[in-house]
Amino acid sequence: MTGTRAALFVHGAGGGGWEWNVWRGVFEAAGFQVAAPDLMPVRGDVAATHIEDYQAQVRAALAALPRPRVLVGASLGGLLVLDAAEGADAVVLVNPLPPAPWHVDMPARDWPDVVPWRRDARLSGTRTALPEADDATTLYAFRHWRDESGAVLREARRGVAAERPACPMLCVASAQDDDVPPAITRAMAEAWGAEVLQTVSGSHVGPLLGREAACIAAQAVEWLNRAAKTG
């Protein structure tokens, strides 16, 4: 993974490629060609969208990038990345929704057909979700949340089969995460022999949108550089 490298960033549920703005800047400064597309609902119908639709989009976006290439996914994006990992040269997962069998330890939750994160967005709620973000980032996120497919989230919660990527793999975990308990991420990493970057972030999206996001992204780049040397 030396010379020209490419990175595909896959965002989480209710978000968009904008979630990676900080990481994108860090990776581009390190010489990566970066793509951070928005996952798109099928035919514009959020309720009709299923997880395989997103998986197909990730695989197509990855195939369009030159090698060597790294797949980086956060939350739902982390689960989607695992489906396409066979086409990557390295994988970085940030507080990923876990595949089977670790999904059984996730907090119980149900979702309507359309999760109204855009419709019901409140600035106060965004501040609560992003306790480590500055005011500008919080306002930007509040204006860019989007509604999400409940079917996708239900399918993820029921458990998605995935194999351990054959390429080097890094799991980034927050110190505190009410959406994906850090113990689940660490258990998956241990079972699969992946490395863990334990952060001090105190929220699910803190590694992307918190004040320490640039530092965490830089550590991910350092890990990729080490993986390239040893691989």
Side-chain angles (χ1 to χ4, degrees):
M1 293 188 64
T2 57
T4 301
R5 300 178 286 182
L8 176 65
F9 292 106
V10 185
H11 65 81
W18 59 268
E19 292 181 338
W20 296 103
N21 286 350
V22 172
W23 281 57
R24 179 177 199 135
V26 172
F27 272 63
E28 288 179 340
F32 283 83
Q33 173 187 335
V34 173
D38 291 344
L39 297 170
M40 302 302 295
V42 174
R43 298 179 298 278
D45 188 345
V46 173
T49 303
H50 292 269
I51 198 164
E52 61 264 26
D53 299 312
Y54 284 164
Q55 289 172 333
Q57 292 176 38
V58 172
R59 290 194 297 267
L62 182 66
L65 293 177
R67 302 189 83 148
R69 56 201 182 197
V70 56
L71 262 172
V72 187
S75 192
L76 172 65
L79 184 61
L80 297 174
V81 157
L82 290 174
D83 175 73
E86 65 180 13
D89 299 292
V91 168
V92 177
L93 307 179
V94 184
N95 293 327
L97 291 187
W102 297 281
H103 72 288
V104 298
D105 295 321
M106 285 285 287
R109 195 166 184 181
D110 196 13
W111 304 99
D113 290 341
V114 176
V115 184
W117 281 326
R118 171 65 266 165
R119 188 195 70 190
D120 294 349
R122 299 292 184 271
L123 185 56
S124 59
T126 301
R127 285 198 180 99
T128 299
L130 306 178
E132 304 149 285
D134 58 35
D135 289 344
T137 300
T138 301
L139 181 60
Y140 189 90
F142 163 67
R143 290 173 172 171
H144 287 82
W145 298 130
R146 69 176 200 177
D147 294 342
E148 187 54 87
S149 164
V152 168
L153 296 174
R154 291 193 296 268
E155 290 160 356
R157 182 62 187 83
R158 286 196 294 267
V160 175
E163 296 183 359
R164 191 257 189 249
C167 59
M169 175 177 164
L170 174 69
C171 292
V172 180
S174 291
Q176 181 177 341
D177 186 343
D178 294 333
D179 294 290
V180 181
I184 297 178
T185 300
R186 291 193 295 267
M188 182 183 70
E190 180 178 1
W192 279 356
E195 294 191 46
V196 176
L197 172 57
Q198 180 63 65
T199 75
V200 298
S201 179
S203 68
H204 185 58
V205 293
L208 275 60
L209 301 175
R211 290 178 174 84
E212 300 298 320
C215 179
I216 295 169
Q219 291 178 77
V221 169
E222 290 174 3
W223 175 83
L224 286 166
N225 291 337
R226 291 195 303 270
K229 291 178 181 178
T230 60

